[in-house]
Each structure stands twice: as structure tokens, then as C-alpha cells.
């Protein structure tokens, strides 16, 4: 399994500001993902972070609101832009290990964001 | 789109009791994953299942991959207070390279 470190672990931010969350993996991985987990809810995929190209966003998420960088195979950032209280969630970085028969997803500890 | 259902939504049990929860889908998956999430933490992978009918154990946890490939269950034997948390099932298929998560089962253990 991969060891995934996220920074910051939590933050309280003013509405209208932006926060960049970093995700560092201890090994090179092909697939990196960003999820959002709203209070009391399950995990919702925001986007796939593609190395060397633009991220692939899921329905309901756009690049202007959640810009993502993936400069190499061990690092990615997610920015939550122009924040509002509705953006208060846990944001999780994930990597997948996959082969022809199996897929496993591993998660960082998450970033708990509160927007006031 | 693909969607997973988990039941029950929440459980309150006495310490020492066994727990059973399940996950169903209208779609076929070729991998089933079970996670536990503690408050303030990211989900931690408990068990991964790769073949229909497969039964896999991890300590007091046992999970099975349904024969139809559309369901899975997780059992916890002799529950203890540290089993408290939210349990998520997740599925992956070769035709859809993302992992889909269920809504979760919240487990509370009464000492």
C-alpha cells in the first residue's frame, strides 16, 4: 500500500478566499484522485488528477472552482477557490493500485475545511 | 450511473455481539473493497475482494464477494469499542476505472 500525506490536516478559512491542499505519495502512482466528503456523507469524486495534462472533472465540479495540479507521479494539489460555507467538507486525496484483476484505493488522512 | 446501496444505515450493538452489514449494486463489479473511517481520518482499507464467491478474513472481519458480483457483505465478530466508525463498501470494474463508494454504515458499540 502507498503512504499518502496531506497538508494541511485542517483549516478554517474566510469566505471568498482560496485554499490549496497538497498531497504527497511515497511512491510513483499513475492514478491520483481528489474526493469531497460533506458532513455525514459518503465520498464524492471531484476529479482525476492527470500527470502532465488537465485534470478530468466529474459532473458538478469545474476547473475554475477546483483547479488541480499534478506536476509529477508523486504529488498533486487541489485548490478550493472563492470559498463559501457550502465548501466546508473533508477533502481527500486518493491513489489507486490496479492491475488486470484488482483495484485498490488508498487515502490520505484528509483535510478538514471549515469556511466561515 | 453506477450506485451502491448499503444496509443498515446505522447500527447500535452491545460489545461482544457480532455485526453484519451488506452492500448491493445494480451493476457488476470485479473488485469489492471495504473501508473503515474513524472521525477526522481518511478511510482505511480493511478487506479487498477480487473473485465472485471469494470469502476473505482479516482478524475478526470477514467479507464475501457475492456470486452475482453485485453484492458483498462484511461481518465483524465479537465487537469491541474500537470498532466504532463508519464502514464504506466500494466497487470497481474494468469498464469504469474509478472506485464507487456506498453511503456507509455507521456502527456504534455500547460497552
Amino acid at each position: 500500500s502507498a503512504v499518502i500525506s496531506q497538508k494541511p490536516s485542517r483549516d478554517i478559512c474566510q469566505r471568498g478566499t482560496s485554499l490549496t491542499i497538497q498531497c504527497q505519495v511515497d511512491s510513483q502512482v499513475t492514478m491520483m484522485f481528489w474526493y469531497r466528503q460533506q458532513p455525514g456523507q459518503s465520498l464524492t469524486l471531484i476529479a482525476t488528477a492527470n500527470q502532465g495534462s488537465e485534470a478530468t472533472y466529474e459532473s458538478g465540479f469545474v476547473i475554475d472552482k477546483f483547479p488541480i495540479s499534478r506536476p509529477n507521479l508523486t504529488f498533486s494539489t487541489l485548490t478550493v477557490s472563492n470559498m463559501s460555507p457550502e465548501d466546508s467538507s473533508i477533502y481527500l486525496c486518493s491513489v489507486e493500485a490496479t492491475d488486470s484483476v484488482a483495484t485498490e484505493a488508498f487515502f490520505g488522512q484528509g483535510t478538514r475545511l471549515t469556511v466561515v | 450511473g453506477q450506485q451502491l446501496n448499503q444496509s443498515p444505515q446505522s447500527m447500535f450493538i452491545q460489545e461482544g455481539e457480532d455485526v453484519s452489514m451488506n452492500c448491493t449494486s445494480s451493476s457488476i463489479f470485479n473488485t469489492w473493497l471495504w473501508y473503515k473511517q474513524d472521525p477526522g481520518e481518511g478511510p482505511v482499507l480493511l478487506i479487498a475482494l477480487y473473485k465472485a464467491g471469494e470469502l476473505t478474513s482479516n482478524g475478526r472481519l470477514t467479507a464475501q464477494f457475492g456470486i452475482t458480483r453485485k453484492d458483498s457483505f462484511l461481518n465483524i465478530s465479537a465487537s469491541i469499542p474500537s470498532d466504532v466508525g463508519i464502514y464504506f463498501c466500494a466497487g470497481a470494474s474494468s469498464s469504469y476505472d474509478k472506485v464507487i463508494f456506498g453511503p456507509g454504515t455507521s456502527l456504534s458499540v455500547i460497552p
Side-chain angles (χ1 to χ4, degrees), chain B residues 66-82:
Chain B
I67 292 292
T68 65
R69 302 171 102 190
K70 294 183 178 181
D71 64 316
S72 176
F73 71 74
L74 175 71
N75 288 343
I76 305 173
S77 63
S79 59
I80 59 178
S82 61

Side-chain angles (χ1 to χ4, degrees), chain A residues 49-60:
Chain A
N50 300 309
Q51 196 266 329
S53 64
E54 194 171 279
T56 305
Y57 289 84
E58 297 299 303
S59 175

Side-chain angles (χ1 to χ4, degrees), chain A residues 31 33 35 37 41-43 45 48 58 92 96 101-110 112, chain B residues 30-31 33 35 37 39-43 45 48 50 88 92 96-99 101-104:
Chain A
M31 307 290 283
F33 304 86
Y35 287 81
Q37 187 177 27
Q41 302 296 313
S42 186
L43 287 74
L45 182 63
T48 303
E58 297 299 303
L92 294 148
E96 284 185 12
V101 298
T103 299
E104 296 182 7
F106 301 96
F107 289 85
Q109 81 277 20
R112 181 179 294 273
Chain B
N30 58 23
T31 300
L33 307 168
Y35 291 85
Q37 186 176 29
E41 301 292 328
L45 182 63
Y50 307 120
F88 292 101
Y96 186 72
D97 60 2
K98 303 177 184 68
V99 176
F101 283 82

Side-chain angles (χ1 to χ4, degrees), chain A residues 2 15 83 88:
Chain A
R15 68 176 68 201
M83 289 183 284
S88 298

Side-chain angles (χ1 to χ4, degrees), chain A residues 3 8 26 36 38 42 51 54 62 69 73 89 106 113-114:
Chain A
V3 177
D26 68 342
R36 181 176 72 182
Q38 294 176 301
S42 186
Q51 196 266 329
E54 194 171 279
V62 295
S69 78
L73 293 176
S89 292
F106 301 96
L113 171 62
T114 303

Side-chain angles (χ1 to χ4, degrees), chain A residues 34-108:
Chain A
W34 287 97
Y35 287 81
R36 181 176 72 182
Q37 187 177 27
Q38 294 176 301
Q41 302 296 313
S42 186
L43 287 74
T44 300
L45 182 63
I46 297 172
T48 303
N50 300 309
Q51 196 266 329
S53 64
E54 194 171 279
T56 305
Y57 289 84
E58 297 299 303
S59 175
F61 297 96
V62 295
I63 187 171
D64 289 347
K65 177 65 176 178
F66 296 103
I68 288 171
S69 78
R70 177 92 191 270
N72 56 54
L73 293 176
T74 63
F75 186 79
S76 177
T77 67
L78 169 74
T79 299
V80 186
S81 303
N82 188 24
M83 289 183 284
S84 66
E86 292 71 33
D87 294 321
S88 298
S89 292
I90 299 172
Y91 292 86
L92 294 148
C93 171
S94 171
V95 304
E96 284 185 12
T98 186
D99 58 27
S100 60
V101 298
T103 299
E104 296 182 7
F106 301 96
F107 289 85

Side-chain angles (χ1 to χ4, degrees), chain B residues 80-95:
Chain B
I80 59 178
S82 61
D83 290 333
V84 167
I86 301 177
Y87 292 79
F88 292 101
C89 67
S93 68
S94 56
S95 62

